[in-house]
Amino acid sequence: MIRRSSLLALSASLLLAACATTPAPAPLADTLARDPQLSTFNRLVAQAGLTDELRAQGPLTVFAPSDDAFKAVPAKTMEALAADPAQLKAVLTYHILDGRVAAADVKLGPAKTRQGASVNLAKAGTFVTVDDAVVQQADVTATNGVAHVVDRVLMPPKK
């Protein structure tokens, strides 16, 4: 016969294990900070003062470049962005849309970014692109929106 105390201990340990494997829902800034492949993006978001914006109510859609995407950007360009906070913020906000756009909801055509210019969205089956970047991981959900990990850093058009 199983003791009641043993059954309670087993139930508690199962509940704790379930909690440990499923992170609690969080805003985009915190959800993206959990992803090791986005460490450069997260560092630059903090540097540009955009963390609170990614914690705001939303909804927002973020096209977050992976660390590999940032490695493909020329060193000179990265140095220039580090030296110019306004330009860094412009580049990062070019990756953010107002509204929640899940991969299944992507429509062909332009979408206005928080930077002010538009990006071109496209979808073929489950294949989604934003400008010339390909979505590698779609629909990272957060309490205030959704993010998609992309394989390129998008650069806003020159004004």
Side-chain angles (χ1 to χ4, degrees):
M1 178 185 253
I2 299 177
R3 287 186 179 169
R4 183 180 172 124
S5 61
S6 297
L7 190 55
L8 287 173
L10 178 62
S11 296
S13 66
L14 288 174
L15 282 172
L16 288 173
C19 290
T21 57
T22 307
L28 283 159
D30 302 320
T31 299
L32 297 174
R34 295 176 184 155
D35 192 333
Q37 73 173 329
L38 299 176
S39 62
T40 304
F41 177 76
N42 291 314
R43 179 177 49 78
L44 294 174
V45 162
Q47 184 178 331
L50 293 172
T51 303
D52 287 342
E53 194 168 322
L54 293 183
R55 283 193 180 119
Q57 186 170 350
L60 301 172
T61 299
V62 177
F63 294 98
S66 66
D67 288 347
D68 287 341
F70 279 104
K71 287 177 187 167
V73 175
K76 259 187 140 157
T77 302
M78 291 303 293
E79 290 166 13
L81 289 174
D84 186 348
Q87 185 61 26
L88 175 61
K89 188 171 185 173
V91 168
L92 293 174
T93 56
Y94 189 65
H95 292 78
I96 304 171
L97 309 177
D98 285 314
R100 182 185 188 96
V101 182
D105 302 328
V106 168
K107 304 271 189 273
L108 178 65
K112 188 169 181 164
T113 69
R114 284 237 165 147
Q115 181 268 346
S118 292
V119 291
N120 288 304
L121 301 178
K123 181 175 83 167
T126 59
F127 185 77
V128 176
T129 61
V130 53
D131 282 349
D132 59 350
V134 176
V135 172
Q136 296 177 311
Q137 181 182 350
D139 299 333
V140 178
T141 58
T143 57
N144 62 340
V146 64
H148 308 285
V149 179
V150 294
D151 68 346
R152 294 205 176 164
V153 176
L154 306 172
M155 294 295 180
K158 304 272 188 221
K159 290 185 179 183

